[in-house]
Amino acid sequence: MNDLTERVGLIAGYGVLPLEFVRSAKKEGFTVVSVGLTENSFSLLKNITDNSVFCPIGKPMEIIDYLKTQGVKNIGFAGKVDKKIIFTSINEFDEHARKILKNAGRLNDVSIMNQIIDFIETNGLEVISQLRFLKSIVAQEGSLNQIKIDEEDISEFRNYYQITRKIADLDIGQTVVFKDGAVIAVEGIEGTDATLYRSHELGVEGSVICKVSRPSQDPRYDLPVIGLDTIDVLKKISASALVIQANGTLVTDYDEVMNNSEMAGIKIYGLSENLKK
């Protein structure tokens, strides 16, 4: 029936991506056992997964023990986790979580996630690629909605993409806001939405937002994601376009995202790493 055991685990942050994961896995006939890292994600998942529990991110061994008792061998990650929790709630982290952070050294996303995955797999579970169940919502190349895009637009988008790629390669941020060739804002620890609002506070309208993956992106976690919430923010800041990495960005609620962006006059364009399109 599939290439995994018939039970799959999901460690879920907030947002709609975990719902997409569950729908796809269920469609293939999997039993899905979920761990909600937030009360919100637990609330959303408890009625659509076969078994579910709420467990905060600072208690990794409890998460592993629960999944094992449910007969799970393979797990996936989906959804957002607010990185600020590392600084605001570290007193609530258990000894295992503290050791993970210590071993990470640098508190960037890649270092932390690599240590988390190493901890999980050392304790007998295998972390699968997000694309195993989310391949159907990966953005393709070219114009993704029906708004006309000309060669001048494409040239501008390519330039912005190259700049954003260099910034992401330095592990600074994955999202950059541009206007008329100038960099207006670069994503930091505050996350994408806060970065976009910060750019708008400068009085900038008609901006172009570019979002790419990290260098050597590990498909087991944190692929770039856009969705209806993204479009809502773009409308609020009066953005003109969103440029994303083709074949490496997930689009939740795809049809609604494209319809809503068209109605708002926001261009959405997918660029591949070779920048041919």
Side-chain angles (χ1 to χ4, degrees):
M1 179 175 64
N2 49 61
D3 57 333
L4 306 175
T5 61
E6 294 182 5
R7 301 177 73 83
V8 66
L10 169 63
I11 298 178
Y14 64 90
V16 300
L17 193 62
L19 304 181
E20 299 272 9
F21 183 105
V22 173
R23 291 189 195 109
S24 178
K26 287 280 194 178
K27 188 175 181 180
E28 291 191 35
F30 282 90
T31 295
V32 182
V33 178
S34 65
V35 176
L37 298 178
T38 67
E39 292 184 4
N40 175 262
S41 59
F42 169 65
S43 177
L44 289 174
L45 293 170
K46 65 181 181 180
N47 294 323
I48 64 171
T49 56
D50 297 276
N51 288 290
S52 185
V53 70
F54 164 65
C55 189
I57 193 171
K59 301 184 184 299
M61 188 55 77
E62 289 186 20
I63 294 172
I64 290 172
D65 287 343
Y66 170 73
L67 291 169
K68 282 185 172 181
T69 62
Q70 295 295 318
V72 169
K73 295 181 180 179
N74 302 282
I75 67 162
F77 287 103
K80 301 177 184 178
V81 174
D82 190 344
K83 188 179 175 182
K84 293 193 292 291
I85 194 173
I86 295 173
F87 303 99
T88 60
S89 303
I90 194 166
N91 290 336
E92 300 172 15
F93 284 21
D94 66 17
E95 60 179 315
H96 301 289
R98 289 171 181 267
K99 186 175 181 180
I100 287 170
L101 293 179
K102 181 179 179 180
N103 290 343
R106 297 178 62 201
L107 295 183
N108 59 11
D109 294 347
V110 173
S111 298
I112 294 170
M113 284 303 303
N114 285 343
Q115 285 299 316
I116 289 172
I117 289 175
D118 182 66
F119 179 80
I120 290 171
E121 296 195 332
T122 297
N123 283 281
L125 298 177
E126 181 178 351
V127 181
I128 62 174
S129 168
Q130 289 185 314
L131 296 177
R132 174 59 184 81
F133 292 114
L134 298 172
K135 189 175 293 185
S136 64
I137 62 170
V138 174
Q140 302 303 305
E141 295 182 66
S143 182
L144 300 180
N145 60 24
Q146 298 302 310
I147 299 177
K148 184 178 180 181
I149 292 178
D150 57 30
E151 288 301 318
E152 185 177 349
D153 289 326
I154 295 173
S155 177
E156 179 183 40
F157 295 165
R158 285 175 176 164
N159 181 47
Y160 293 165
Y161 188 100
Q162 290 172 326
I163 294 171
T164 306
R165 165 51 59 212
K166 290 178 180 178
I167 290 172
D169 286 349
L170 294 172
D171 202 16
I172 295 172
Q174 296 172 261
T175 303
V176 181
V177 182
F178 298 90
K179 173 68 175 179
D180 296 333
V183 173
I184 304 302
V186 177
E187 181 182 18
I189 195 172
E190 77 272 44
T192 301
D193 290 356
T195 302
L196 300 182
Y197 286 127
R198 175 159 51 87
S199 72
H200 191 55
E201 289 171 0
L202 298 173
V204 174
E205 295 188 351
S207 58
V208 176
I209 288 78
C210 189
K211 188 176 184 70
V212 302
S213 68
R214 291 187 178 87
S216 303
Q217 183 78 45
D218 189 329
R220 293 176 294 180
Y221 65 88
D222 201 30
L223 290 173
V225 182
I226 68 167
L228 289 172
D229 288 346
T230 309
I231 303 305
D232 286 342
V233 175
L234 295 181
K235 289 192 289 187
K236 289 176 182 176
I237 69 168
S238 302
S240 65
L242 172 63
V243 180
I244 58 178
Q245 182 175 331
N247 304 312
T249 303
L250 304 175
V251 184
T252 60
D253 299 307
Y254 189 95
D255 291 341
E256 291 179 79
V257 164
M258 298 311 156
N259 289 335
N260 286 9
S261 60
E262 284 176 28
M263 292 176 62
I266 300 170
K267 302 169 184 175
I268 302 185
Y269 197 80
L271 271 170
S272 62
E273 284 292 86
N274 59 22
L275 300 182
K276 289 182 179 179
K277 292 190 178 182

